[in-house]
Amino acid sequence: MYEPQPAYKFTFGLWTVGNVGRDPFGEPVRRALSPVEIVHLLADVGAWGVNLHDNDLVPIDASPAERDQLVRTFKAALAETGLVVPMATTNLFSDPAFKDGAFTSNDPAVRAYALQKTMRAMDLGAELGATTYVFWGGREGAESDASKDPVEALKRFREALNFLCDYSNDQGYGYRFALEAKPNEPRGDIYLPTTGAMLGFIATLDHPEMVGVNPEVAHETMAGLNFVHAVAQALDAGKLFHIDLNDQNSGRYDQDFRFGAHNYKQSFFLVKLLEDQQYAGPRHFDAHAYRSEDSAGVRDFARGCMRSYMILAAKARQFNADPEIQQLLAELNAPQPELTPLQGRYSRERAQALKAHTFDRQALGQRGLGYERLDQLVFELLMGVR
Ligand code: DIG
Ligand code: MN
Ligand code: MN
């Protein structure tokens, strides 16, 4: 019942189960796996697909011939395992050239190089069948705002995305772009720090219909925000083009924990939202195993991400079928037909009727809503006592 199923489109980036455990205070604890080894690992644990940054597969200094050979062997592993590549992205954050940003760098040569690198990475992604292209601007930010006019930075980011939308159209790649927000780390502050900020920015682009968001649990949580509400806004706007699932303890560095590893309740309501709204995109686990883990632990991590999602999806179905919970919700949302004439789109008559209506304000404030009982039922459902 909790085994991963293709219908859930579970994916992992090469960099997730390939994470060697390096952190700012420690050296790698696991050997590096080749892309082909990672594809087979993911197939073994039951993943549906695999994602990549350009340099996860093709080293930044690879020759065209080396690149083609690496792609050939990667494609062979995909064919052998049946894994698909729904998403691709560019590493615009590791190389020192991007130390002051890529698209927003003060150096026009860096901005131009970032466009070149991204176009080549888009070519690679298209060759592998990717239809979603993620942009995470890990270095698009500042430590000192003396360094860059933030308005100018946004203009540069917009110019780059407009150019790349045109490139995708010119090449016939059919990409949908998904912008991933993060409030900080590795920059002191990252521009467009939240999913909400990205949604506002998309409206300023030349091709807003091509561009959506890729919210990540850890990133909105780092900003102290309710991730479920951020995803709800993206869904409402028809802009949830992709999603990065993991977990995070608020007020910490980007922990990228196994999905469900920390905040069970938020993870439950997130899965409930995605399933209730019939989200059809990939469920991408942008996460990695604890640094404490060996290769067996990495498999435990990957299986745990998917198994936790399947368990919470079953809990969401249980919530939707629970008579007591549904009774409480029905009472909360009971129709009040006497208000019907006052509801709906504006009309002068409706406005006049609203202004003339007499409300019993005290009664409105005295109504008990039963949320304590409702939330206790959720707790008991999650704790397995219902
Ligand atoms: C970090 O959360 C970012 C990078 O790993 C990648 O660019 C993106 C894709 O999921 N997430
Ligand atoms: Mn993260
Ligand atoms: Mn991410």
Side-chain angles (χ1 to χ4, degrees), residues 15 53 87 89 93 134 136 180 214 216 219 244 284 286:
W15 69 92
H53 302 86
M87 182 271 273
T89 185
F93 45 86
V134 163
W136 171 62
E180 179 173 345
N214 176 45
E216 176 175 311
H219 300 175
D244 274 5
H284 175 228
D286 185 8

Side-chain angles (χ1 to χ4, degrees), residues 292-303:
S292 54
E293 301 307 289
D294 60 8
S295 58
V298 168
R299 287 167 181 267
D300 293 338
F301 150 79
R303 287 193 193 95

Side-chain angles (χ1 to χ4, degrees), residues 45-267:
V45 299
W48 172 76
V50 59
N51 304 317
L52 71 160
H53 302 86
D54 48 350
N55 301 139
D56 297 335
L57 177 62
V58 181
I60 198 164
D61 292 324
S63 69
E66 287 163 343
R67 174 238 186 252
D68 292 347
Q69 177 55 32
L70 286 162
V71 172
R72 259 194 303 277
T73 52
F74 189 65
K75 278 182 173 178
L78 295 172
E80 203 177 327
T81 58
L83 257 65
V84 293
V85 180
M87 182 271 273
T89 185
T90 325
N91 186 324
L92 294 175
F93 45 86
S94 295
D95 192 90
F98 302 122
K99 62 189 176 185
D100 184 33
F103 300 134
T104 65
S105 170
N106 276 329
D107 184 342
V110 170
R111 298 201 298 271
Y113 171 55
L115 282 177
Q116 178 194 83
K117 193 173 193 287
T118 303
M119 285 189 284
R120 287 176 175 168
M122 288 169 66
D123 297 343
L124 173 62
E127 188 176 342
L128 295 170
T131 53
T132 300
Y133 205 83
V134 163
F135 291 80
W136 171 62
R139 299 285 180 192
E140 313 295 6
E143 286 69 45
S144 163
D145 280 327
S147 62
K148 209 167 292 170
D149 171 356
V151 173
E152 178 58 30
L154 291 173
K155 287 178 178 172
R156 290 170 182 170
F157 194 57
R158 178 181 306 111
E159 185 181 304
L161 286 176
N162 288 338
F163 186 96
L164 294 166
C165 277
D166 287 336
Y167 179 70
S168 178
N169 290 333
D170 199 18
Q171 295 290 107
Y173 286 158
Y175 274 126
R176 295 201 309 174
F177 286 3
L179 307 185
E180 179 173 345
K182 187 175 180 181
N184 59 70
E185 189 195 34
R187 296 307 299 263
D189 289 292
I190 295 179
Y191 298 123
L192 299 168
T194 65
T195 293
M198 287 296 188
L199 288 169
F201 183 71
I202 288 167
T204 72
L205 298 174
D206 289 352
H207 304 283
E209 71 290 347
M210 288 177 63
V211 187
V213 290
N214 176 45
E216 176 175 311
V217 176
H219 300 175
E220 302 295 314
T221 304
M222 284 170 71
L225 300 175
N226 181 313
F227 184 71
V228 178
H229 296 179
V231 173
Q233 185 182 359
L235 283 164
D236 177 66
K239 292 292 186 184
L240 189 68
F241 287 7
H242 199 264
I243 191 166
D244 274 5
L245 300 173
N246 54 27
D247 214 348
Q248 174 76 26
N249 191 349
S250 192
R252 270 79 166 172
Y253 63 92
D254 188 8
Q255 294 173 309
D256 291 340
F257 283 151
R258 179 183 81 255
F259 181 66
H262 181 76
N263 192 332
Y264 302 172
K265 190 172 185 181
Q266 174 178 269
S267 300

